[in-house]
Amino acid sequence: MSSKSASVSPAKAGRMEKEKGKSIYSKDVILVMTASFLFLFGTMFNNPLINGYAESLGASSVLAGVIVGIMSFAAMFLRPIAGNLTDKFSKYQLSFIGGVLILIGIVGYIVSPNGELLLLFRIINGTGFVLCTVCMTTWIAFLVPRQHVGSAMGLYGLMNALAMSIAPAISINLYKVIGYRKTMMLPAAATLIMIIIIQFVGNRAVPSPRQKEKKQFKMISVNALPVALLTTCFGIPYFVTQADIVTYVAKMHMPVAVGSYFFIYAIVLLLIRTFLKNYFDTVRFGVWFWLSLVATAIYLVLLAYMSSNWMMALGAAGMAVGYGLIYSVLQSTALLLSPANEQGLGSSTFYLGLDIAMAFGPMLAGVVAKALPGRWFYLVQLIVVPLALIVYLIWRKRLNGAIDNH
């Protein structure tokens, strides 16, 4: 027996053994995870529709582009504020405010008569989105023992990823049948249900007096900075695909059923997350990183050259490993690298990387689409592979050591 093990008192050892055999998925954890799925579903559902909807209201292509991107740009500036607030106030209170703002934003979309008002409601939606993403991640970490944060974030990340894949797949097909406004009633209903669900969470994650002590305002968690950079690298191809794969397939005249792409992604992600759920707290970061890095390179090449539904399906499966798997690993690593009184800041730093990918990925892809032949659309995105590798090699000791902070 190691000296570290020997130093554990019998009472503490008994408590640890009891915790080990007890499920971490309590009623509160399940409710918060369900709520997180619903608010993300509500937000991501509208993303593929906003551009076309704005133009249908008379917005120019330039204004429509601003409306699409403004939510992500607003989020980048609001993340640090949300992170600091989350470390001082009840996660329930901030999640409730965030949910209400998202609902106001979506209802505003439905009733907007022009693009200018749509822009305003997009900002309101983005503010609520920032609060909910940061607060609910931290809320989950608050509800589970620290040694199980990886497993909890694995399931939480799965709920997030499923919402981010299922919502666009449904919206892209539904609006063609019933129109924009009626389609947007579905995410409004999902957000309303989310607001109702969190009322039944018993532990509202109120910070302790020590955590609420006045401290210096920080823009980011320096410890979690490499996580944010990697999140951007892995996120750019994902958000480019989410925004442009339908257009890309049409432009390249590829004989594939692209409407099934995100459904395949979601199914594969569900399978791998279920199979690997017990390893997130025991396997070091480097293993997940290399697996996801190789998968990212493979799926980008597959999407560049796909000529059949089989290649498309393999590309979707590769993206599930390349992005879907590393997403929750990065999320939990940001929390583990941040001090207990800066969990909100660590979470906001992770999401800042996601915001950058969501905002700039599709913009850069638009430039590439105009400047280079269609085949290069995905091949150019392979640049994220060496960039991610450089970040990892610089901070590999910190990233691999995160698991020791349970």
Side-chain angles (χ1 to χ4, degrees), residues 227-242:
V227 172
L229 295 174
L230 288 174
T231 301
T232 298
C233 290
F234 283 103
I236 284 174
Y238 173 82
F239 287 108
V240 169
T241 301
Q242 186 186 78

Side-chain angles (χ1 to χ4, degrees), residues 212-227:
K212 293 165 71 174
E213 288 176 2
K214 186 176 181 180
K215 61 179 185 289
Q216 185 179 2
F217 179 89
K218 296 181 180 180
M219 293 294 292
I220 62 169
S221 169
V222 176
N223 290 335
L225 177 60
V227 172

Side-chain angles (χ1 to χ4, degrees), residues 248-267:
Y248 168 74
V249 167
K251 180 180 178 181
M252 297 296 292
H253 305 289
M254 292 178 168
V256 298
V258 71
S260 303
Y261 183 87
F262 280 101
F263 284 116
I264 296 170
Y265 167 81
I267 292 169

